[in-house]
Amino acid sequence: MIRIGIIEDDPQYVEQFTGYIKKYAEESGEKFDIKIFSDGIDLVSDYNASYDILFMDIQMKLLDGMSTAKSIRKMDKDVIIIFVTNLPQFAIQGYEVEAMNYVLKPVNFFAFSQELLHAIKKLKSKTTFYLNIMQESKMIRLDVSRIFYIESQGHTILYHTEDGTFSNRDTLKNLEQKLTGKYFSRCNNCYLVNLRHVEKVDRNTVTVAGVMLQTSRPKRKNFINELAIYVGGEKG
Amino acid sequence: MNEIMDIPKVYTALAEWAGCLTFVLILKPRFSKWVTTGCMGVLLVLLYAVQYAIGVLPVSLWIPGMLIALGLMFLSLLICCELSLPDTGFIWAIAFLAGEFAAALEWQVYSFFYGMGFRAGWVKYGFLVVFYLTTFILFFHLESKRFQEQEKLQVTVKEACSAVVIGVGVFLISNISYVYTHTPFSGRMSTEIFYIRTLVDFAGVVILLAFQDRVQDLQVRQTLNSIQGILQRQHEYYLQSKASIELINQKYHDLKYQIEIIRQEPHQEMRDKYLNEIEEGIKAYEAQNKTGNSVLDTILTGKNIYCLQHDITMKSVVDGTKLHFMEVMDICSIFGNALDNAIESVEKMEDADKRIIRVAVFSQNDLLMIRIENYFETQLKVDGGVYVTTKKNKKYHGYGIKSICYTAEKYGGTAAINTNGQWFQINVLIPIPDKTGIDGKK
């Protein structure tokens, strides 16, 4: 069930959007729960982070879309905001609230459904994935997104994570296979880096969660390419 | 015959000095006339001193002595002319060989007449003056013609190195007979030795002049190319603004008729409806983009006008302030190429609803992301991990993406192509340099 909020003061558009979502649901088999707000103030007044996607009109009477989005971002980092506007230049600053996409009025089904599709894809990619590792004869589950980078030292693997460092016996090659498609990439022979945590790239180093790691010349090109695709896809 | 054995050292010093002087006269001076004159005076004295020392000291010190003389020539060119280090190296090699050639030629001819019995003092100095003047005036003409259009050579380090190697090589081969008589390349008779030296020096000068021509030709061609590119772009802009003016004229024309209709409309409700329609129409053509970067604003506005005319929806969410560290041409190259690419791809689709282009520029930590994507329906061809152009004329396309990659790599970044479902994405990732600007940009 995907929870959608529509914040729009024009009832005609509200009707159109709900119609489009229903049509999309029929075509894709997705299930939606839709809530409607006629002004930004109604959404912000008792917001409880219970939405996955917000379609937000930019021009509204009491609280405009951009201000609403700013307030929402303070409470909810994850919700996907898609602006709806008839003036493109209002949406050009969407990056301030991580709203990288918008729909232009008058809205056609194709454009609307593409934005919805993008948002749903992004939602689905967020599902957490765990690695099970043995730690002092106990099995623990590591949330992959919380790993900064994985280091290989001889036959030991070190997992540097937000919750400290863990280790077990494994090979980087094996882990690399397990983590395919999970946004991990090798920056040299000893490190498998979580692209989510990359802060900085230089010609010879990459900074991951404050730690500077060396990149090797043969691995760098592929690493930075994968990083580009990750960063480009992340705010999609 | 002893006296005729070799060129007097003062001659060599004079020839070396004249070689340098020729270029100092041609090229843009670094200092005022008087300072330059002073420098050249000092150079002449120093060169003479070095050559004198070479003549007095044992042969084993010939190489270090020559090195000092060569160093002096190099320094004088570097100091007196406004030249880069590689340019100085290149010019130094020419000046040096020209001097060597003049000295060798003069002495060869003089020694021939000396052998025939012309041994008077005035003959000796007459030869010196006539030959050196002729050679260097000719040389001056050859070089000043080459520097007429370009003040600088702007050779690469590699080209300068080749010139220096040619210069030194030619000098060594031409002079080997004087230092060692017993090598495969040494002559044993003095006249023969003189001729070898003149010939080799002449060949060296010709090679370097030809090399210089080639380097300068290449530069002229490159400049022409880039000018052509700029002209082409300006022409495109002109066509674009012409088209947009026509569009505006047409809109005004429409507006006049619409106002007429509204005037005649008796019902308030209908009048409001018409007015709203007009408002919508005006808004749609407000193709202004304010991103925080004026270069990007211009590019986006230009492309947006084109998109509006061709039923393409271009949606931008752009933080232009993040592009501050990039050069204008690089911003043009990335956005121009990527947008042209996207426009060309979506234009092929019949259904105007599907002609969507999305532009996103944002930063994440110290990484700048430029993402330009478009919806597509055709099957993309991949050849060895590289996307093959779907455009008809393969020879002229595929360069757009190459150029984007090249620009991104210049800043230590990359351009990655990705397909996300039916969306073709160009993801340009560039590390944002530190405020000090050490990384990324030279």
Side-chain angles (χ1 to χ4, degrees), chain A residues 185-201:
Chain A
S185 183
R186 289 272 277 268
C187 71
N188 68 20
N189 283 330
C190 312
Y191 300 113
L192 186 58
V193 172
N194 189 344
L195 298 175
R196 274 167 274 239
H197 295 288
V198 173
E199 288 162 0
K200 200 176 166 181
V201 180

Side-chain angles (χ1 to χ4, degrees), chain A residues 101-102 114-115 121 232 234, chain B residues 315 358 364 371 420 423:
Chain A
N101 299 307
Y102 61 89
Q114 285 297 317
E115 290 304 336
K121 262 193 185 168
E234 191 205 22
Chain B
K315 300 193 282 187
R358 307 203 300 184
Q364 183 175 325
R371 186 188 63 214
N420 178 6
W423 288 80

